[in-house]
Amino acid sequence: MKKTLLAASISCALAAPVAHAQNSVTLYGIIDNGIAYVNSVASGPHAVGKSRTSAATGFGSGDRWGLTGTENLGNGLSAIFTLENGFSGTTGAFAMGGRMFGRQAFVGLSDSRYGSLTLGRQYDYTFDYVAPLLSWTQFGSIYGAHVGDVDNSFQTFRLNNSVKYQVSPLPGLQLGGLYAFSNQASGPNGAGFANNRAWALGVRYSDGPLRFASSFLLVNNPSAGLAASTNPGGAIGDEYSGPSNIFYNVGFVTRQQVFTVGSGYTWDALSVNFVYSDARLDYANGRDIRVDNYELNGRYQITPAFLVGLAYIFTDGSGYTGTGANAYANGTKPRWHQLNFGAAYFLSKRTDVHFSTVYQRAAGDATTAALNLIGPAGQGAKSQLLLALGLRHRF
């Protein structure tokens, strides 16, 4: 009897791939742990900063594990899905606000001629199309993203309740459009269809060594996701706040508009990219601020196993800095200069040792530095330096 059951089990196991030959599910992930040093970090902009050496995780690439799959439906049509979890490699805890699949969660259909349509929690095109040209995604660390992530190129927030369409009408060309619902019924004080909703457009082109990408994002009342009395179930959840998101924390944001454009070119082992972003925020008190980021970066593949990269970022702010932001600026012209350096040595195709340095200097009316995810350098500290060394494995 036991031999019969064993034989049946083996037969089923061997037959399964044949029965589902046109379907696939892939488990993937990244774990990235190391040590980081910051010369000055404080609990708030008014506090005195101190140096800190600590265990760090996910700073080269965010820790994650995920499942992605396809099912062939015939005639070039496939069902697709992705579930991607973010976690801490040093504690094992959920990241992304405790969400099980906070990085991505969507299902959809993909057609070889007509493109893909997906529904769920997804990235906008700033990340999909433009962010691959930025230094923090290529060779640096997450701490090297733009000040306050005001252009969302670091994806401080993903878009919930979103419907996303992408198509490639010509070789090398991709076009996309996205709409994220507020999921709120009409009501007083601005509640309704437009309260915490978003829409986005994107274009990307690649032809040999040449790359070009552009995106547009518009969000109405994104701060509504922070308070249960407004609309936490809308396009943006509770991610719209943090110690380094200095432009969001100045008050209730009624409108956020972001335009980005970037291009790059590769000569053999050298790759050079330039990205410009223009972000505009309107606040509930009728004030507004414009923040422009200019990034020039280059990456050089010294050997197949060893790469280095360097970037310069200039952040130019203009307009209202608000009650919450006056600790970061004492006028309407805050500016920051930032240098990102990164290097990686690949021990194999999936495992590498990486090092990154980020230096930021406040200028103009800006009164303190505030690296992405690190927070303010502290009262009177106009510069901030970070050094990080890590071991990263992809599976």
Side-chain angles (χ1 to χ4, degrees):
M1 181 64 178
K2 291 182 179 179
K3 291 182 179 180
T4 302
L5 290 174
L6 178 60
S9 299
I10 294 174
S11 298
C12 290
L14 293 174
V18 177
H20 302 283
Q22 294 178 318
N23 306 331
S24 68
V25 176
T26 301
L27 172 66
Y28 65 93
I30 300 173
I31 183 166
D32 178 20
N33 288 345
I35 299 172
Y37 166 81
V38 187
N39 72 325
S40 182
V41 61
S43 58
H46 292 296
V48 177
K50 301 289 185 180
S51 64
R52 183 182 73 191
T53 301
S54 62
T57 186
F59 55 89
S61 301
D63 297 327
R64 72 196 72 177
W65 71 270
L67 295 166
T68 185
T70 65
E71 180 188 12
N72 191 337
L73 303 177
N75 297 320
L77 182 67
S78 298
I80 58 176
F81 81 91
T82 293
L83 297 171
E84 189 172 281
N85 166 268
F87 67 95
S88 167
T90 53
T91 67
F94 281 136
M96 320 308 297
R99 296 172 176 85
M100 178 174 288
F101 296 111
R103 294 185 65 90
Q104 298 184 83
F106 63 82
V107 65
L109 296 173
S110 177
D111 186 271
S112 56
R113 296 164 296 175
Y114 303 116
S116 64
L117 180 69
T118 51
L119 303 92
R121 177 176 169 86
Q122 304 178 81
Y123 296 119
D124 71 76
Y125 298 103
T126 305
F127 185 81
D128 284 345
Y129 291 175
V130 181
L133 300 173
L134 297 174
S135 56
W136 79 265
T137 63
Q138 295 184 77
F139 56 81
S141 71
I142 60 177
Y143 307 127
H146 296 165
V147 177
D149 193 31
V150 68
D151 55 15
N152 205 38
S153 58
F154 175 67
Q155 292 293 281
T156 290
F157 57 87
R158 275 76 165 169
L159 296 176
N160 299 323
N161 316 323
S162 63
V163 179
K164 186 176 186 179
Y165 177 69
Q166 299 183 91
V167 65
S168 181
L170 297 171
L173 177 66
Q174 283 186 294
L175 305 173
L178 177 149
Y179 186 85
F181 290 88
S182 73
N183 277 10
Q184 189 175 55
S186 297
N189 301 319
F193 188 78
N195 188 34
N196 195 5
R197 62 116 182 244
W199 62 272
L201 298 171
V203 57
R204 174 169 60 183
Y205 180 72
S206 178
D207 181 18
L210 176 65
R211 301 170 300 280
F212 169 82
S214 184
S215 68
F216 179 81
L217 171 67
L218 179 65
V219 188
N220 297 107
N221 290 339
S223 295
L226 296 174
S229 59
T230 51
N231 190 18
I236 298 174
D238 57 1
E239 302 126 304
Y240 204 73
S241 179
S244 59
N245 299 339
I246 58 178
F247 304 107
Y248 302 160
N249 293 338
V250 302
F252 193 91
V253 179
T254 58
R255 189 173 185 266
Q256 180 177 6
Q257 176 182 301
V258 179
F259 169 74
T260 67
V261 61
S263 63
Y265 197 86
T266 298
W267 298 267
D268 297 324
L270 175 65
S271 178
V272 176
N273 304 281
F274 175 77
V275 174
Y276 164 74
S277 69
D278 174 75
R280 307 187 186 203
L281 300 178
D282 295 336
Y283 299 102
N285 62 3
R287 304 288 186 88
D288 62 82
I289 188 170
R290 173 178 177 175
V291 183
D292 294 326
N293 286 289
Y294 305 82
E295 175 172 335
L296 177 65
N297 65 68
R299 183 185 70 183
Y300 188 70
Q301 195 80 40
I302 298 175
T303 72
F306 184 41
L307 68 85
V308 296
L310 180 67
Y312 168 70
I313 303 166
F314 174 58
T315 301
D316 184 16
S318 176
Y320 173 65
T321 51
T323 303
N326 61 9
Y328 297 91
N330 56 16
T332 60
K333 297 288 185 180
R335 295 183 172 93
W336 290 266
H337 301 276
Q338 184 169 307
L339 289 174
N340 295 346
F341 172 78
Y345 183 78
F346 288 83
L347 304 173
S348 70
K349 289 183 179 180
R350 298 189 299 171
T351 303
D352 68 284
V353 177
H354 58 93
F355 172 79
S356 61
T357 298
V358 183
Y359 174 79
Q360 186 184 106
R361 176 76 181 176
D365 292 334
T367 55
T368 187
L371 291 178
N372 186 51
L373 295 181
I374 297 296
Q379 187 175 26
K382 300 196 73 171
S383 64
Q384 198 170 31
L385 173 68
L386 176 135
L387 306 173
L389 177 67
L391 176 65
R392 172 172 48 195
H393 178 73
R394 299 173 173 88
F395 60 89

